[in-house]
């Protein structure tokens, strides 16, 4: 990799893109309400189901579902071209 400039450039470009995408997601998550951030962390980072997240958050399944719908709507609005 160090000796092949094409491979090195491709590697750096890939990691730059991943870093940029990670920053975009991090910035997006910061715009969410505290409850939406908590739901995002539980469901999309830790792998909880909506039911498990609702229980961990101390809210009803319906409230967690509503928070998830709001989160997805914000996500689509922010990243849809």
């Amino acid at each position: 990799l160090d000796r092949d400039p094409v491979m090195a450039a491709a590697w750096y470009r890939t990691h730059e893109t991943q870093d940029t995408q990670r920053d975009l997601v991090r910035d997006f998550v910061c715009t969410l309400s505290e409850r939406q951030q908590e739901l995002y962390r539980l469901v999309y980072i830790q792998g909880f189901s909506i039911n498990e997240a609702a229980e961990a958050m101390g809210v009803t399944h319906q409230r967690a579902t509503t928070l998830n719908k709001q989160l997805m709507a914000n996500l689509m609005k922010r990243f849809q071209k």
Side-chain angles (χ1 to χ4, degrees), residues 52-66:
E52 292 168 332
E55 188 175 323
M57 294 171 67
V59 299
T60 65
H61 171 77
Q62 182 60 43
R63 180 64 183 138
T65 300
T66 300

Side-chain angles (χ1 to χ4, degrees), residues 12-66:
Y12 287 115
R13 222 179 355 263
T14 299
H15 287 339
E16 266 181 15
T17 301
Q18 289 173 351
D19 290 343
T20 301
Q21 290 171 343
R22 191 176 307 118
D23 290 342
L24 288 172
V25 171
R26 188 178 307 120
D27 291 346
F28 165 73
V29 170
C30 289
T31 68
L32 300 173
S33 71
E34 286 184 35
R35 285 300 217 179
Q36 288 172 340
Q37 287 181 27
E38 184 177 9
L39 183 77
Y40 175 84
R41 180 181 50 79
L42 291 170
V43 174
Y44 298 102
I45 303 296
Q46 295 182 351
F48 285 36
S49 69
I50 295 290
N51 283 335
E52 292 168 332
E55 188 175 323
M57 294 171 67
V59 299
T60 65
H61 171 77
Q62 182 60 43
R63 180 64 183 138
T65 300
T66 300

Side-chain angles (χ1 to χ4, degrees), residues 1-17:
L1 179 66
D2 292 338
R3 296 178 192 179
D4 185 348
V6 174
M7 290 298 287
W11 186 85
Y12 287 115
R13 222 179 355 263
T14 299
H15 287 339
E16 266 181 15
T17 301

